[in-house]
Amino acid sequence: MEKRVKFKGILLPLLLVLPQLLVTAVFFFYPAGQAIWQSLFIPDPFGLSMRYVGLGNFEFLLSDPYYRASFVTTAVFSLLVTLVSMGVALYLAVLADRLIKGSGTYRTLLIWPYAVAPAVAGVLWLFMFNTRVGVVTWYLGLLGYDWNHVLNESEAMGLVVIASAWGRISYNFLFFLAGLQAIPRSVIEAAAIDGAHFWTRFRTIVFPLLSPTTFFLLVVNIVYAFFETFGVIHTITSGGPQQATTTLVYKVFADGFVGQDLGSSAAQSVILLVVVGALTIVQFKFIERRVHY
Amino acid sequence: MATLTLENVKKTFGKTEVIHGVDIDVADGEFIVIVGPSGCGKSTLLRMVAGLESVSEGEVRINGARVNEKEPMERDIAMVFQNYALYPHMSVFDNMAYGLKIAKTPKPEIAERVAQAAKMLQLEPYLQRRPRELSGGQRQRVAMGRAIVRKPAVFLFDEPLSNLDAKLRVQMRLEIKQLQRELGVTALYVTHDQVEAMTLADRMIVMNGGRADQIGAPLEVYANPATDFVAGFIGSPPTNFLEASSLGIADGQQSRIGIRPEHMILTARGAGRLDGHVLYTEALGAETLVHVRSSAGDTLTIRQDGAAPTPPEGTDISVAWDETQQMFFDAEGRRS
Ligand SMILES: Nc1ncnc2c1ncn2[C@@H]1O[C@H](COP(=O)(O)OP(=O)(O)OP(=O)(O)O)[C@@H](O)[C@H]1O
Ligand SMILES: [Mg+2]
């Protein structure tokens, strides 16, 4: 039986959620409403007047090849960041799970990158891959590889993916490790006695039992790659070269603040709002049936 | 079908030795029960046979071949765990078929063997269910089924009944015994419950602090315990111990005397070997346990027939026994 406190009347409950409602109103509903409003107008170049264009901004955006390219860029970027950060994290978690001695140190060290702010992480990786003085660039040069993410689009993408994924590995690692340690040891031992070697056990027992964790992380990481990688992209590539690393969020900034096309920028924000909404629904649906076995 | 041999098997965790050398020869089809108090190393010994724990010293042989270095899957064994260790995301059928699938058994044969085991264990209606949709007893049966479909050479059980209620435990105990007889498979069974040990075992190993104090048939161990520990552990209520000196029969060799509760009788004050008074009595129906405090301060338990008259608490009485029932132990606790 669930225990619940029942409130009589509506005043007290309302009072209790009021602060949260206020915060949501000021920092979410107000700007969101403003974005929707602005997306219907085009301001003149001097910002003195606004011309109503209806859904014109949206029509223009959806037929804009740069905007559609940005969709693809975002999808590729998010997918890569999610795959890299989750793949590496899972690998490290499996190793840490088998470790008996020194696992504490190992864990602590692996958590550190999580404490580094995205922009700082971006600068760190930028230093290492700097086209003139970067350590990694220099070693790559020795190997005969000419690294230049300023000119090369896929190298630029690779670098922002690595820098964004790096900070996420810690977070994913913690969840994966907790997930692994929640699997009873005897279940693994039973599988070993049943004849399953390490890889078979991982494929048929461990990974299926981890799937709630994996799915949760998948959603969280995609949301992260979508919305929280601005700092990394801004410090490393500023969306270039040739907009190769301009994600949807970065484009809102680039078009609105740099290009001063506020109408288009607002329309892009509204589209993003819809995307977040969709992702949130997926997430909630999932949380409802978290344990699927 | 297999024989199993342990030769001076030892186990050390870090610097602590927890198994100090166990020897036993298990014949083909024999049911061996390892019994002992918590922490005495029963599970560790079993897990060394299973290959889940490395053997620090000595040798484990299955069918005469050394298996120390072999992985669990190469040993031709099956194990039933205390918490059943079923695969939670698989149906009962898949749980039982898992090992066969890995061994690349043909599909029709898998279906047939699982069906056979399910029939034997009355699991047929549940084959498509997940473990969490089963009762404790049913889960226990699935764990057994998973073990028998593979037709292993040796069955290992680690306290398989300890999560069941008392009634189900008695029932499953019988079923395990029948199953093992039917299959004729060699079994090693760990428990801390001496009743389980007495009823299941062809021979039992009584463990005490990492040593096998005694190995033998249950009744032989009961009638003839090798150490005072065994005398105290096997049998309920436990053997009564008296200092030999307090009875005036010490001769240097014999330091303690053990007498089983059913071998003592109550007599009128002065007519027995030991005077005392009744502390309290426990009437269990078929039998009555009378707890007596002797004049020397020892507490003794006497088991008498439920129909026999029971003296009220506080009555002054004497305790008598037949001299042939005395078991003598030396200072180290060994029989002398
Ligand atoms: N991995 C381990 N590392 C260190 N010591 C261990 C380890 N596993 C077991 N031990 C020790 O070995 C001894 C025997 O443990 P074991 O699990 O075999 O006992 P047991 O007889 O099965 O007890 P129980 O009836 O409680 O299951 C215990 O003292 C325990 O603390
Ligand atoms: Mg144990």
Side-chain angles (χ1 to χ4, degrees):
Chain A
M1 278 308 255
E2 207 178 336
K3 273 196 185 154
R4 287 185 184 197
V5 181
K6 288 227 169 77
F7 290 109
K8 283 200 187 94
I10 185 102
L11 211 62
L12 182 63
L14 206 63
L15 205 68
L16 290 175
V17 294
L18 196 63
Q20 184 60 46
L21 284 181
L22 274 179
V23 168
T24 313
V26 171
F27 291 101
F28 180 72
F29 285 114
Y30 174 67
Q34 213 175 28
I36 293 173
W37 178 250
Q38 274 186 1
S39 70
L40 304 175
F41 294 87
I42 294 181
D44 73 70
F46 304 103
L48 298 174
S49 66
M50 301 222 289
R51 188 159 58 85
Y52 179 76
V53 292
L55 294 177
N57 279 324
F58 292 95
E59 267 164 41
F60 179 78
L61 267 181
L62 295 178
S63 61
D64 177 9
Y66 278 117
Y67 192 65
R68 279 190 282 181
S70 172
F71 254 104
V72 177
T73 306
T74 309
V76 171
F77 173 76
S78 307
L79 209 70
L80 286 177
V81 169
T82 306
L83 284 183
V84 169
S85 63
M86 284 179 65
V88 174
L90 180 58
Y91 178 71
L92 292 174
V94 168
L95 292 186
D97 188 41
R98 302 179 76 186
L99 214 62
I100 298 164
K101 270 190 203 143
S103 63
T105 327
Y106 191 57
R107 225 174 297 172
T108 313
L109 289 177
L110 273 170
I111 292 164
W112 277 357
Y114 190 49
V116 178
V120 177
V123 172
L124 277 176
W125 286 93
L126 189 59
F127 272 141
M128 286 192 280
F129 281 90
N130 186 293
T131 46
R132 278 183 295 274
V133 298
V135 170
V136 181
T137 313
W138 190 69
Y139 277 113
L140 284 174
L142 288 187
L143 294 174
Y145 189 88
D146 185 17
W147 176 273
N148 193 337
H149 64 264
V150 181
L151 295 178
N152 187 310
E153 297 179 6
S154 30
E155 285 175 12
M157 178 57 98
L159 188 53
V160 286
V161 165
I162 292 176
S164 308
W166 179 67
R168 286 309 278 186
I169 291 174
S170 316
Y171 180 88
N172 296 343
F173 168 79
L174 283 182
F175 274 88
F176 273 134
L177 188 61
L180 285 173
Q181 294 188 333
I183 299 175
R185 215 170 157 71
S186 56
V187 170
I188 307 291
E189 290 173 345
I193 289 176
D194 264 346
H197 287 276
F198 181 79
W199 177 240
T200 316
R201 287 200 300 267
F202 186 79
R203 203 166 42 77
T204 56
I205 309 282
V206 177
F207 197 71
L209 291 182
L210 268 186
S211 63
T213 309
T214 310
F215 196 80
F216 165 76
L217 287 178
L218 204 64
V219 175
V220 169
N221 279 289
I222 288 177
V223 170
Y224 161 82
F226 255 67
F227 301 105
E228 289 169 48
T229 47
F230 174 84
V232 173
I233 295 175
H234 193 52
T235 45
I236 295 183
T237 63
S238 299
Q242 272 97 52
Q243 305 217 1
T245 54
T246 301
T247 58
L248 290 171
V249 169
Y250 196 78
K251 199 164 163 56
V252 171
F253 164 79
D255 288 357
F257 287 82
V258 183
Q260 287 292 310
D261 186 353
L262 291 180
S264 168
S265 177
Q268 290 178 30
S269 307
V270 173
I271 292 175
L272 276 178
L273 209 65
V274 174
V275 174
V276 188
L279 280 175
T280 311
I281 289 171
V282 170
Q283 203 173 351
F284 270 117
K285 274 248 152 83
F286 150 69
I287 283 171
E288 268 169 27
R289 43 182 201 93
R290 182 169 205 146
V291 184
H292 76 129
Y293 47 80
Chain B
M1 306 273 153
T3 61
L4 169 70
T5 310
L6 303 189
E7 197 177 287
N8 193 27
V9 168
K10 293 185 182 173
K11 178 72 190 177
T12 36
F13 287 112
K15 284 195 182 103
T16 9
E17 192 173 88
V18 296
I19 307 274
H20 311 290
V22 172
D23 292 272
I24 185 173
D25 264 306
V26 183
D28 184 18
E30 204 176 8
F31 201 123
I32 299 286
V33 175
I34 305 173
V35 65
S38 187
C40 69
K42 309 180 294 290
S43 298
T44 307
L45 191 63
L46 193 78
R47 291 167 58 82
M48 283 196 283
V49 175
L52 298 172
E53 212 72 77
S54 63
V55 180
S56 307
E57 216 183 302
E59 198 166 84
V60 177
R61 288 194 291 269
I62 295 177
N63 268 334
R66 175 186 166 101
V67 295
N68 285 30
E69 288 76 26
K70 291 230 168 107
E71 295 289 324
M73 48 280 247
E74 299 161 345
R75 296 189 180 196
D76 200 12
I77 48 138
M79 183 156 166
V80 177
F81 292 82
Q82 179 170 1
N83 61 357
Y84 318 136
L86 300 177
Y87 311 127
H89 57 302
M90 294 183 196
S91 67
V92 168
F93 181 93
D94 288 335
N95 261 282
M96 294 208 261
Y98 185 76
L100 296 175
K101 278 182 190 158
I102 286 174
K104 302 224 160 52
T105 314
K107 273 226 168 86
E109 194 188 333
I110 294 182
E112 191 195 310
R113 271 159 81 168
V114 172
Q116 205 184 347
K119 187 163 175 228
M120 206 185 269
L121 295 161
Q122 294 136 39
L123 281 172
E124 282 156 320
Y126 312 111
L127 282 176
Q128 294 316 316
R129 290 208 197 164
R130 295 277 164 85
R132 70 181 159 87
E133 298 161 336
L134 299 176
S135 73
Q138 289 160 349
R139 281 180 214 180
Q140 170 60 45
R141 286 206 184 89
V142 177
M144 301 269 301
R146 187 170 64 181
I148 63 179
V149 289
R150 282 181 35 232
K151 304 194 174 146
V154 182
F155 255 1
L156 305 175
F157 300 87
D158 192 354
E159 309 209 18
L161 305 182
S162 58
N163 285 348
L164 302 179
D165 68 49
K167 200 166 164 217
L168 202 53
R169 209 175 316 167
V170 175
Q171 183 194 337
M172 288 303 295
R173 197 165 76 199
L174 277 174
E175 284 182 27
I176 288 180
K177 183 73 181 171
Q178 274 168 4
L179 210 61
Q180 189 263 347
R181 284 267 162 79
E182 233 166 275
L183 301 169
V185 66
T186 311
L188 206 54
Y189 184 108
V190 163
T191 180
H192 60 253
D193 178 358
Q194 48 117 0
V195 180
E196 246 170 59
M198 295 290 289
T199 49
L200 283 173
D202 291 326
R203 280 191 298 158
M204 60 191 202
I205 307 177
V206 186
M207 290 202 49
N208 175 21
R211 275 196 187 78
D213 261 21
Q214 190 169 9
I215 300 176
L219 288 179
E220 176 198 322
V221 172
Y222 185 84
N224 221 347
T227 65
D228 58 352
F229 171 81
V230 176
F233 191 76
I234 302 295
S236 168
T239 301
N240 297 303
F241 288 103
L242 296 164
E243 293 302 320
S245 52
S246 71
L247 294 169
I249 44 179
D251 66 353
Q253 289 279 320
Q254 302 149 353
S255 121
R256 293 219 290 167
I257 296 172
I259 303 145
R260 295 235 175 242
E262 61 269 30
H263 294 145
M264 288 183 154
I265 48 169
L266 294 176
T267 61
R269 197 38 160 326
R273 291 168 187 269
L274 205 61
D275 289 341
H277 64 274
V278 176
L279 268 184
Y280 58 97
T281 58
E282 291 173 293
L284 303 175
E287 63 188 31
T288 303
L289 304 180
V290 182
H291 299 275
V292 170
R293 162 89 26 96
S294 75
S295 344
D298 296 309
T299 311
L300 309 170
T301 305
I302 292 126
R303 171 193 259 154
Q304 57 178 31
D305 197 90
T310 320
E313 285 169 21
T315 319
D316 284 332
I317 40 91
S318 255
V319 180
W321 60 86
D322 188 357
E323 219 162 59
T324 57
Q325 304 294 0
Q326 297 180 144
M327 303 181 281
F328 294 100
F329 300 96
D330 65 17
E332 270 84 58
R334 277 186 293 273
R335 275 300 272 282
S336 57

